[in-house]
Structures are given as C-alpha cells and as structure tokens.
Amino acid sequence: QKEVEQNSGPLSVPEGAIASLNCTYSDRGSQSFFWYRQYSGKSPELIMSIYSNGDKEDGRFTAQLNKASQYVSLLIRDSQPSDSATYLCASKGLTGGGNKLTFGTGTQLKVEL
Amino acid sequence: NAGVTQTPKFQVLKTGQSMTLQCAQDMNHNSMYWYRQDPGMGLRLIYYSASEGTTDKGEVPNGYNVSRLNKREFSLRLESAAPSQTSVYFCASSEDGQGRVMDTQYFGPGTRLTVL
C-alpha cells in the first residue's frame, strides 16, 4: 500500500469553477503536508504547505488538513486554464528520517474553457 | 539566484555505460535529494544528504551512487546503466538539515535519461 494516495484523474472542471483535489496518507506520524504543481515536462513547484488541522488559504488556493481522518485536500477557486497541470501531494514525517518527503502519484487537473 | 540547477538536461546512454548527473544549489541549503519520476509511480527518493558530509539511501538506491561534493553540489552516478533506469531525474534541496516540520524542498529542472 502506497503511503500517500491520490486519484490519478483526470479531473475536469470548467473555467471559473472550484477544483477539489484530495489526498490520503497512511503514516499517522506524518507532521506536514505539501502540494506541488507540475506542468507537463517541467519540475514540481510548491503551491501550499500545511501542518495544522484546519484550513490554510493563499490567494485562490486553500489547503485543508484533517489528521484524524488522515486526509489532505487542495481547493482551487476560480479555476483557470493555466491551472491545468498535475498536482502532487507529499507528506513529511518521522518515519525513516525527518527530512524525507513521500509523494503520491499525482492528480491530473484539466480546466476547460 | 539560479536556485537548483542540473546538468545535463537530456542524455541517451547505452546499456552498461556510466554517467554522472550534476546538481548544484545557490540557496545555502543544508539538505539535498535525488528523485526519479516514472509514469504511474510518482516521485521516488533515490538518495539524500541531510547535511554536508552525510548521505543516506532512499526508497530506490540500487544501481546508483552519490557524492556530496560540498555544501552546494550533490552528484548522482550510474555505474552501469540499465534500461530500467530510463527516467526523469530531479534534484532538490531544502534549508534545514534537522528535519524541521515546514522545511520545504525546491526542485531543479530535471534530467531526462534514456538507456537503450
């Protein structure tokens, strides 16, 4: 069982809608979580990070964390075609060393005109 | 600042050949990482260096060696390339060598390697 699970998609949303990307994790020792955006052929780029239960907002992006349910999500409001990319969820915990991230396989988001 | 740089951008090898992937960062970060990314597998950690002078195995270290040359540079060597090592390789760095909760990793542009 992979430690970080994401639906591979593609998730298709119309322009202007809210895109909801979800991620579950199995290691209860995970302390912080990161969302990276990766355009095709490019490297991952950090979008949001969160370590406390609840919501964290940054512009059009909101990260949500529920440690009891071992669930992380990323909401993108007013989705734009430029948001079309693969979104990687990563967890960081104590298992195997505190510096290491464990990545999910990513969810492909398509924002349609 | 250039951030994290990697060379080369593309490489084609024949089975059995060797090569070294270079990575450098100019952010004065303590920790550096090598990942590979394959379709459907996500990013998998090959090796990492929490601080200058230390290296540790990640999830998929077989067939690779690393050298933390100094604080800026972290190289990945394939001694005898195999087709299974065809992948996109990313180097990353982060500030903290102590595993701080919100320590963030920043990625280089990647090297696309094909082994025939």
Side-chain angles (χ1 to χ4, degrees), chain B residues 25 29-32 47-57 66-75 97:
Chain B
Q25 52 89 10
H29 284 174
N30 287 297
S31 299
M32 298 185 73
Y47 271 93
Y48 69 103
S49 171
S51 60
E52 187 179 357
T54 68
T55 60
D56 283 288
K57 294 179 181 179
V66 290
S67 295
R68 184 73 183 267
L69 304 170
N70 48 56
K71 191 172 185 179
R72 288 187 63 248
E73 298 172 291
F74 189 38
S75 62

Side-chain angles (χ1 to χ4, degrees), chain A:
Chain A
Q1 178 188 1
K2 192 147 176 71
E3 295 179 23
V4 176
E5 298 270 4
Q6 295 180 257
N7 188 319
S8 61
L11 171 66
S12 294
V13 300
E15 184 178 5
I18 296 175
S20 177
L21 303 162
N22 304 315
C23 171
T24 59
Y25 60 95
S26 60
D27 182 3
R28 284 197 172 273
S30 296
Q31 297 182 312
S32 51
F33 303 86
F34 302 80
W35 283 99
Y36 286 83
R37 177 177 62 198
Q38 186 175 25
Y39 292 115
S40 180
K42 300 296 185 182
S43 60
E45 171 193 13
L46 182 72
I47 297 295
M48 292 282 291
S49 59
I50 187 168
Y51 67 95
S52 297
N53 273 329
D55 296 359
K56 179 182 178 183
E57 187 174 319
D58 183 1
R60 295 188 297 114
F61 299 97
T62 299
Q64 299 175 318
L65 174 59
N66 184 326
K67 289 187 177 180
S69 301
Q70 297 177 245
Y71 181 90
V72 191
S73 65
L74 179 70
L75 301 179
I76 306 174
R77 289 181 299 281
D78 188 23
S79 295
Q80 302 297 309
S82 59
D83 295 325
S84 297
T86 296
Y87 289 80
L88 305 174
C89 172
S91 69
K92 178 178 160 89
L94 296 177
T95 303
N99 287 63
K100 297 192 290 186
L101 293 180
T102 300
F103 283 86
T105 54
T107 297
Q108 185 183 7
L109 173 66
K110 293 185 176 181
V111 181
E112 297 167 336
L113 295 170

Side-chain angles (χ1 to χ4, degrees), chain B residues 10-111:
Chain B
F10 300 93
Q11 184 71 50
V12 179
L13 293 178
K14 294 181 180 178
T15 297
Q17 288 185 317
S18 62
M19 78 162 296
T20 300
L21 282 65
Q22 305 287 354
C23 174
Q25 52 89 10
D26 63 2
M27 296 177 282
N28 200 34
H29 284 174
N30 287 297
S31 299
M32 298 185 73
Y33 313 82
W34 276 105
Y35 293 90
R36 61 177 289 173
Q37 187 174 39
D38 303 291
M41 301 293 291
L43 282 159
R44 293 183 292 169
L45 184 65
I46 304 171
Y47 271 93
Y48 69 103
S49 171
S51 60
E52 187 179 357
T54 68
T55 60
D56 283 288
K57 294 179 181 179
E59 183 183 353
V60 289
N62 291 346
Y64 305 95
N65 285 302
V66 290
S67 295
R68 184 73 183 267
L69 304 170
N70 48 56
K71 191 172 185 179
R72 288 187 63 248
E73 298 172 291
F74 189 38
S75 62
L76 178 72
R77 182 161 179 84
L78 287 70
E79 291 291 353
S80 179
S84 60
Q85 294 178 304
T86 293
S87 188
V88 181
Y89 292 84
F90 290 104
C91 177
S93 70
S94 67
E95 181 177 1
D96 182 27
Q98 302 302 316
R100 216 166 23 98
V101 168
M102 294 312 294
D103 188 42
T104 300
Q105 293 185 22
Y106 298 92
F107 285 80
T111 294

